[in-house]
Amino acid sequence: MKHWLGVLATLLIALWWYYLPSGPVCFVEIEFIAPDGTAPLSTAEILSGVDKVTLANIQPGESQTARIYPGDASENEIVLFVNRYPTSTENNNWSGQRYYPPGTAFRTHIQIDQEGKVISEKSCQLPCSFD
């Protein structure tokens, strides 16, 4: 029995070691500022450093938050791709400054208008609040 517990513990440690994202967790909030009746955002893809997260079906007036792990990558920016299909085949993209050095936990809030374009962005180093 002790042998099996040792094997199980070793497997759990190996899974943690190989699949745990590196670096601090960061949060990116997408807020869709649009009148009621506007078609939702199909997808919003967020890239920062080595991580990529996709948020889907963001309704007007709704906010969704993604956790990303940018790691220690040298790219010092956040990239956002917004898709409004089927109401539009046009994809919008936006690149914003990541204000903190690699390895720093941060929070970013991005507002998107009904055309799928970024209208505002604010960022702070964690722990922080925008209130």
Side-chain angles (χ1 to χ4, degrees):
M1 183 68 167
K2 288 182 183 179
H3 174 72
W4 289 111
L5 288 176
V7 169
L8 180 62
T10 303
L11 287 173
L12 289 174
I13 290 169
L15 284 172
W16 173 77
W17 181 261
Y18 288 108
Y19 294 105
L20 183 71
S22 63
V25 64
C26 302
F27 299 91
V28 177
E29 302 164 351
I30 303 295
E31 183 179 6
F32 186 29
I33 307 292
D36 289 338
T38 303
L41 296 177
S42 300
T43 59
E45 292 181 358
I46 304 160
L47 290 85
S48 184
V50 296
D51 201 8
K52 173 183 161 184
V53 176
T54 301
L55 299 175
N57 198 30
I58 304 172
Q59 300 294 323
E62 181 183 51
S63 292
Q64 288 188 20
T65 302
R67 293 197 294 175
I68 58 172
Y69 299 87
D72 292 331
S74 62
E75 298 88 13
N76 202 25
E77 66 180 359
I78 295 175
V79 180
L80 176 67
F81 297 98
V82 178
N83 183 346
R84 297 183 311 127
Y85 182 81
T87 58
S88 173
T89 57
E90 176 184 317
N91 294 327
N92 294 310
N93 59 52
W94 172 85
S95 294
Q97 179 72 27
R98 202 171 89 191
Y99 302 102
Y100 311 104
T104 303
F106 62 89
R107 179 178 173 203
T108 297
H109 182 89
I110 300 170
Q111 292 182 328
I112 299 174
D113 69 6
Q114 66 189 27
E115 301 300 319
K117 295 183 175 21
V118 171
I119 54 175
S120 77
E121 176 264 340
K122 55 187 171 184
S123 187
C124 61
Q125 185 175 345
L126 290 173
C128 66
S129 173
F130 293 130
D131 298 330

